[in-house]
Amino acid sequence: MERDTDLVRPTKILKLKSFSSIHNGGMIKDQYGRTFDYVRIAVNERCNLRCVYCMPEEGINFMPQKDLLTTDEINRLISILVKSGVKKIRFTGGEPLLHKDIVSLVNFSANAGVKSIHLTTNGLLLGKMAKPLYEAGLNGINISLDTLDHKKFEEITRRKGLEKVIDGLNLALSLEFPSVKMNIVFMRDFNHREIGDFVELTREKPLTVRFIELMPFDAHQIWKTGKFFGAELIEKEIRQLYPNVRTDNGSATEHHIFKVPGYAGKVGIIPAFTRSLCGKCNRIRVTADGKIRNCLYSDDEFDLRQLIKNGASDKDIGKGIRRAMWMKPEDGWAAQRLGDQGRESMTQIGG
Ligand code: SAM
Ligand code: SF4
């Protein structure tokens, strides 16, 4: 479906005027005073797993490769974003380690002056990719792993491979990346009884395990089956198991970061559905087909790839990015009210 790149809604035209009068360069901001210095770029849509909360077994209607951003186009966007004050990049997907140029994208980002370069992966290919990525300048890896049980791994991902992911995690830790985190989509009955096993991983390992609320981005295969387990309940469970746990300073996206005294790592909770942290949001999302999504829950996307294909200058592309972010809704609830979710799966948005 063609997206609303020309901002045709009357309220948006009104806000766009204020955008034009206020912004002609500098940092990327919105009308609510937020500044955006972190971009998440989905480099592909395809994946070697089929997580139940993300995609149906048969996959989704993947975009043909010709409709996705090329490596050169991604690099160009990175250069423009850096000039606009972006300091942190996260490559995601789909499965970013399936992208043939992922190492060179990291290398390009490092040379372009990105201060902090990260990647979110399911970890299956980390065994052979972790070292080249480290050498290319990657600063952090988030590994998505929802269970430590073989049977449940197959149930959730519909594939085998738990050992490979754990080997990849251990390799990342041994390479001493400045940041290694584990993303756990927390779901009632699937993995909520493993909370203590995950926290125990932080006893010896300098790892942050992060419990993420389930979000309704799966064309409703799982969302409607009562698996949601909210941030408050997660915190309650952690405090019951670890009464001496203490709260560390939370970052913009982690509801709380906890530390069990004496443990090497940390524990985070991300209220991805309850959205209590929208006021601190600093993220720009670029989909694999080159659309800016100014909020995870927003249906309004701004077509950067089309701008590029039309021969736009760097200055005009920068302006397109600023305009898209200026229109960011106040919070994820307001974003959701603007329209139905237009994407089939999180694999198209990048998480
Ligand atoms: N394939 C990579 C991976 O799984 O890490 C990167 C892409 S994946 C879409 C990015 C993140 O989104 C993962 O941590 C995944 O667990 C999370 N995710 C996907 N669908 C989700 C959902 N419905 N609710 C919450 N998180 C979700
Ligand atoms: Fe693939 Fe990541 Fe989606 Fe799982 S969450 S199916 S690993 S894109």
Side-chain angles (χ1 to χ4, degrees):
M1 184 175 50
E2 210 33 60
R3 310 305 313 171
D4 171 19
T5 49
D6 287 319
L7 310 171
V8 288
R9 289 182 196 156
T11 51
K12 289 190 170 181
I13 291 170
L14 206 72
K15 287 174 181 168
L16 188 58
K17 276 187 189 152
S18 55
F19 160 80
S20 310
S21 58
I22 295 170
H23 278 287
N24 281 313
M27 300 289 289
I28 303 166
K29 292 180 186 278
D30 74 359
Q31 55 197 309
Y32 301 102
R34 291 171 291 199
T35 299
F36 303 97
D37 60 0
Y38 168 25
V39 64
R40 300 174 62 99
I41 302 179
V43 295
N44 54 11
E45 293 187 343
R46 291 191 177 267
C47 189
N48 41 6
L49 295 183
R50 289 287 180 274
C51 303
V52 287
Y53 47 74
C54 183
M55 277 197 256
E57 171 106 61
E58 65 280 10
I60 54 157
N61 201 7
F62 294 108
M63 292 260 176
Q65 188 63 35
K66 68 171 180 48
D67 292 343
L68 303 185
L69 288 173
T70 64
T71 301
D72 286 346
E73 288 166 345
I74 298 175
N75 285 340
R76 184 168 175 210
L77 286 180
I78 291 171
S79 299
I80 295 169
L81 285 159
V82 170
K83 284 188 194 121
S84 309
V86 165
K87 296 185 178 65
K88 176 172 173 182
I89 287 192
R90 175 173 303 283
F91 294 109
T92 171
E95 176 43 46
L97 298 190
L98 290 175
H99 193 287
K100 66 180 177 40
D101 293 326
I102 190 65
V103 175
S104 90
L105 283 166
V106 170
N107 196 34
F108 180 91
S109 308
N111 291 330
V114 180
K115 300 261 179 307
S116 198
I117 308 161
H118 298 249
L119 186 138
T120 300
T121 172
N122 61 32
L124 272 182
L125 298 173
L126 264 185
K128 63 174 183 194
M129 302 293 289
K131 193 146 184 274
L133 286 165
Y134 180 80
E135 286 166 356
L138 192 71
N139 303 107
I141 300 190
N142 286 9
I143 299 169
S144 305
L145 178 59
D146 306 312
T147 177
L148 301 171
D149 177 275
H150 283 90
K151 202 164 149 267
K152 279 195 216 148
F153 183 89
E154 282 179 42
E155 241 176 78
I156 294 174
T157 68
R158 302 193 181 101
R159 299 285 188 275
K160 291 187 193 300
L162 177 60
E163 295 89 352
K164 277 192 187 162
V165 181
I166 289 177
D167 288 351
L169 167 70
N170 287 329
L171 179 59
L173 288 167
S174 72
L175 287 168
E176 297 187 7
F177 280 95
S179 160
V180 181
K181 297 183 181 175
M182 189 184 278
N183 286 354
I184 303 143
V185 178
F186 211 58
M187 292 168 288
R188 191 177 294 286
D189 298 332
F190 265 148
N191 58 4
H192 87 265
R193 291 188 185 85
E194 289 186 66
I195 198 159
D197 299 336
F198 283 115
V199 176
E200 279 311 301
L201 289 178
T202 72
R203 182 191 284 265
E204 306 286 344
K205 299 181 198 294
L207 169 75
T208 302
V209 298
R210 311 183 323 156
F211 298 108
I212 303 176
E213 284 179 348
L214 179 67
M215 292 180 270
F217 284 97
D218 63 338
H220 304 298
Q221 348 165 43
I222 285 298
W223 181 253
K224 286 190 173 164
T225 61
K227 298 281 181 229
F228 179 76
F229 201 102
E232 280 180 20
L233 264 184
I234 299 173
E235 180 173 344
K236 203 169 148 203
E237 294 269 322
I238 294 173
R239 287 192 185 282
Q240 254 166 23
L241 287 172
Y242 297 90
N244 62 342
V245 76
R246 63 179 169 76
T247 310
D248 255 40
N249 282 337
S251 77
T253 46
E254 281 153 358
H255 185 223
H256 282 308
I257 303 189
F258 304 96
K259 197 167 165 63
V260 182
Y263 282 28
K266 294 181 182 180
V267 179
I269 301 176
I270 303 188
F273 178 73
T274 48
R275 288 166 253 187
S276 48
L277 289 168
C278 297
K280 292 187 191 168
C281 184
N282 65 344
R283 298 164 169 217
I284 303 165
R285 288 184 163 81
V286 180
T287 63
D289 57 335
K291 310 265 168 59
I292 287 236
R293 208 173 159 104
N294 60 17
C295 171
L296 188 52
Y297 286 89
S298 170
D299 221 5
D300 278 325
E301 293 179 346
F302 300 83
D303 198 341
L304 289 180
R305 184 171 167 273
Q306 196 54 50
L307 270 184
I308 295 172
K309 296 285 178 218
N310 290 345
S313 65
D314 284 6
K315 192 170 167 216
D316 283 345
I317 293 169
K319 218 166 158 189
I321 297 171
R322 279 199 174 72
R323 173 187 299 194
M325 295 314 296
W326 184 255
M327 305 309 297
K328 182 178 169 79
E330 188 164 15
D331 59 29
W333 299 103
Q336 202 172 349
R337 282 195 294 274
L338 285 175
D340 292 324
Q341 303 300 331
R343 297 265 180 182
E344 267 181 275
S345 155
M346 191 68 100
T347 196
Q348 302 167 309
I349 306 169

